[in-house]
Amino acid sequence: MEILKVEHLCKNYGKGEALVKALDDVSFSVEDGEFVAIVGASGSGKSTLLHILGGVDRPTSGKVYVKGKDVYQLNERDLAVFRRREVGLVYQFYNLIPILNVKENMTLPIELDKKKIDQAYLQELITTLGLENRVDHLPNELSGGQQQRVSIGRALMNRPSLLLADEPTGNLDSKASREIMELLKLSNEKYHQTIIMITHDHELALTASRIITIEDGRIIDDSKVSA
Amino acid sequence: MNPLNTVTIRYLQHNKKRMLATILGIALSTLLILSMALFISSYQKNDEQETMAKYGTFHIVVENDKEAWNILKKEEKIASIETISLLTETWLNISDQTYSLRLFTMNEDMLENIPLKYGRLPQNEGEIVIPSSFTSYSTLNLETGDTIDLQDQTYTVVGVSEPQYYESYLGENVMITKGDNTLTDVNYYFVTLKSVSHALEQLGVIATDLGIVPTHGWGGSEYEGVTPNIHLLNVYGEGYYSSPDDMRMGVYLFLLTILAVACILVIYNAFAISVTERKKLYGIFASVGATPGQIIRSVFFEALVTGIPGMILGILLTILMGMIVIKLFNMIGAPVFSTTFKLALYPSYYYISLLYIVGIIILSAWLPAMRAGKISPIDAIRSKDDVKRKRRWFHFGIIKRLFGIEGDIAFKNLRRNKKKYRVTTIAISLSIILLVVGNIFFAFIEETTYLGMNLPEMNVNLSFGDSDPDKVRAIETEILNLSSIDKAVIYSGKTNYIGAIDGDEKKNVASFANLITLDSKSYQEYLDYYHIERGRPFIINKVVDEADAKIEISPFTEVPQSILLCTRGENNERDCYKTLDNLEMVPDSLGLLPSTTALTIVVDENTLEEIQNLYEKNMSVRSAVIVAKDPFTIEEEINRIFRQYEPSNAFVENYALQIEMMKRTILLIEIVVYGLIGLLTLVALTSVFTTVYTGILLRRKEFAMLRSIGLTKKGFNKMLSLESFFFGMKSFLYGFVISNFFILIINWWIKEMYNPFRDSKLIHLHYPYQTFLIGFLGIFLLTLVTMHYATKQMKQENIIDALTEDTF
């Protein structure tokens, strides 16, 4: 089943001579349960693409359909609700709320949605992420790898249609990076979670099932990874 | 709880100092606005009490027969009725004049409350209280112990009452006796209504019930024999015309609006800073799906969490401050004012104030909340810096040369944070402007009242006269012998036109000349001091400048040969009757005589008598100025002497009391005005604190970085001091420019509106250098202290921690 469809996506910054085409007519689609890695050099437009997919930045033109719904037809409020329910975002710099503990950070999207927390699922996630002994800790009491695991937990908590990860290991050492990649792979397999991950590391990209390569805002390659 | 609200609470707990500053800001705003209400309300209450003391507590007076009692008793809107009934009316003939004497009886409560000058209240039948106008100078000349026959009954005077409010309704010459509470054919019913609202309409209803037909007068319907206590009704805004109550409310609302703007700025600043500080946080919230509405509500939630304790604290502070101020007022006022100040807060003022404060908080939180709702997650995530390069027309390289790299950084920081500091700059400038305008306002009051004039050191001024010169001399001796007098000069004199000096009218230095004689002691003082020959007239070469009452000038450069004295006859023709020659001159009055614009010439008694006898043959008049440590005792003693000798005219004026009353009244106004300005400055200060403190917290990493690359503690302090200095300088300059604009306007206003009624040179306000200096130093010190306080912790913390941790 097609879960994401991107049509002729463009994003420009600046005007006139200073015009920068961050995304230039990008189209692709993603099937449910796929693990897609988007690779490209710094400044190629991959982060812009991810932010537009996540509903945090608006395209200059083009369409994004998630589960057949045109995301940018939504008003601000519904777009927020879309982000809350359909998207889980994982950033390079974790972006956790420093005054909320691990558990509170993870349940934040549920609380914002005023839904009941699925305690069994929360426990399962905490165990899977290896955070059993850290649930009451504040972000600044955790290592970088642990913080990133919390941010993955937060992204998965709502069982989103899409998990978008922006250089999730960019700030971590190689051991922690490996752990995070294993967790992403695990969530893809265990929960059939669709993942779109941005990285500039081709080796890490090989963890995914499909690699899209971007250069100067255009897709120059889109290929499956052979198992 | 909603996770956003949880975060807000924790954030506030985490930033206790800033939260306290916000709560304090709200509390002070509440205090400012409530105390205004309290002040105006109390003013009204005191006005009410003063009016009640003067004109009575009742609302309506009904003059009617005894039947009216039964109708009035049934009226539901009437709270209470007191009655005064006419017993007898008699006419007395004294030296060709007919006097009406009216004897009344009143109910027990009213009788007991008659304030007495002296004597006692009537306790038995046949005893009366008389008004003070019957005593001393009155033709009736009654005193306690005297008896008077009224319609076959003899009454004994037992007491003398102070002037009473009921006298104006009962007619002149009112005497009161103890009665048996029975109504007569003529009764005055003093009616107090249950509610004063629409009192005049209620009056109409009561009059109609009594069967009185209205006639139409100036103020609307009038009913014969039914009179409103209009003075008291005016206090409540229930009079015929525009009411002081409405005006007071208008002034209140106007001041409230000005203060509200200042408070909004400051509280807005607190919330705006709070939102700026959490910009990234809101961004993260937005990125995980918080709707704009949820974020907006969380800012209002913060307003609620800080607003409620702030308002409660403000109300408590108002009560506390009110109690202190009223104590202070009564302490200052007690020696000179007859009334005691009381605190009052009318519900209407109270609710309006609270509504204003709630409005202020909501308005203040509004913009920041909307801004928070619009924060784009992408901006927050990217942490875009708000430093923008602008084309500069002006280069401040001189700052670096003058103050070094620290000064350069300080100056750039200030420029970078221009927006953040804006509200605080406005608040501080406003404080300076108000301080300067307040200062000018009081200078103006002092200039326009006689506080600003050069009064001699004398504090009691008096005059007396009688056709019997022996009596006058006896009084003079008595006064001079009073032991409590430090210095007394008694003089008698005659004011003359100056006809010519040395035979030349052009040489006339003044229009008038006062010829005076002095009591022998004072006269001798002059003779001894200046070695003048006894009997020779001498000029005191000091007059008050006619153009500027504050300046004394010496009109003569050499002793004139002769002065021609004139008077104006019945048809205004000039009649010159005396040439003074063989003159002496002394440079100063030795502080013995008050300065006037007329030339003072001291002569011997014969000369004066000679002139006086030309016109006022049968009157001997003396004036005196007295210096005494206790002018109040002197005033009483002089009154006693006057009562003893009964001169045909007598007058005592205690300058000390008037000056003291004026001084204290101004002091009270100053306390209120400067108090309000001080409060506003405090509100501005909380804004300085919030801005500076948060500004520095947000720059924590930057400071750590500066230290990591070798900025010393000394350099760091220098940078902070310079930033305070530049910031203070900027706020001061704004305040300075706008204040000067106000000074110009006020001076123009005085020149245009005020001076034409007086002398053109009379009022000139001094430039408030001192206020500006105090304002400048105050601002600089406050900012400096706040900055150092805010960075105290930072200076000791680990550089690496600051560099790596997130700041929230």
Side-chain angles (χ1 to χ4, degrees), chain A residues 13 48 51 54-57 76-78 80-81 83-84 87 89 91 93 95-101 104 108-109 111-114 138 140 154, chain B residues 1-4 6-8 10-11 14 280-281 283-294 297 373 376-378 380-382 805-806 808:
Chain A
Y13 293 107
T48 306
H51 288 138
V56 291
D57 199 1
E76 273 307 316
R77 197 199 159 273
D78 291 341
V81 175
R83 284 199 293 270
R84 183 197 287 171
V87 179
L89 270 164
Y91 302 97
F93 294 104
N95 279 332
L96 298 174
I97 306 287
I99 43 182
L100 293 181
N101 64 27
E104 288 165 331
L108 193 60
E111 298 266 15
L112 285 171
D113 222 7
K114 294 189 184 112
L138 291 175
N140 67 5
R154 181 177 70 188
Chain B
M1 202 193 288
N2 176 330
L4 274 152
T6 312
V7 167
T8 303
R10 289 205 197 149
Y11 164 80
H14 206 258
K280 189 174 175 189
L281 201 72
I284 298 173
F285 269 118
S287 77
V288 297
T291 59
Q294 280 176 317
R297 277 195 295 280
S376 131
I378 193 77
I381 293 159
R382 281 201 195 126
E805 262 177 41
D806 265 334
F808 275 96

Side-chain angles (χ1 to χ4, degrees), chain B residues 428-483:
Chain B
I428 291 179
S429 308
L430 202 66
S431 289
I432 289 213
I433 295 164
L434 285 177
L435 196 67
V436 169
V437 172
N439 197 285
I440 293 180
F441 170 69
F442 288 115
F444 180 70
I445 290 187
E446 286 195 7
E447 283 287 324
T448 48
T449 57
Y450 57 95
L451 280 182
M453 295 178 194
N454 278 332
L455 286 170
E457 46 179 318
M458 57 145 192
N459 40 27
V460 179
N461 189 11
L462 59 113
S463 74
F464 51 93
D466 202 278
S467 51
D468 178 3
D470 290 336
K471 198 193 250 183
V472 170
R473 253 189 290 276
I475 296 173
E476 185 179 326
T477 318
E478 282 253 8
I479 289 174
L480 285 172
N481 285 339
L482 284 175
S483 59

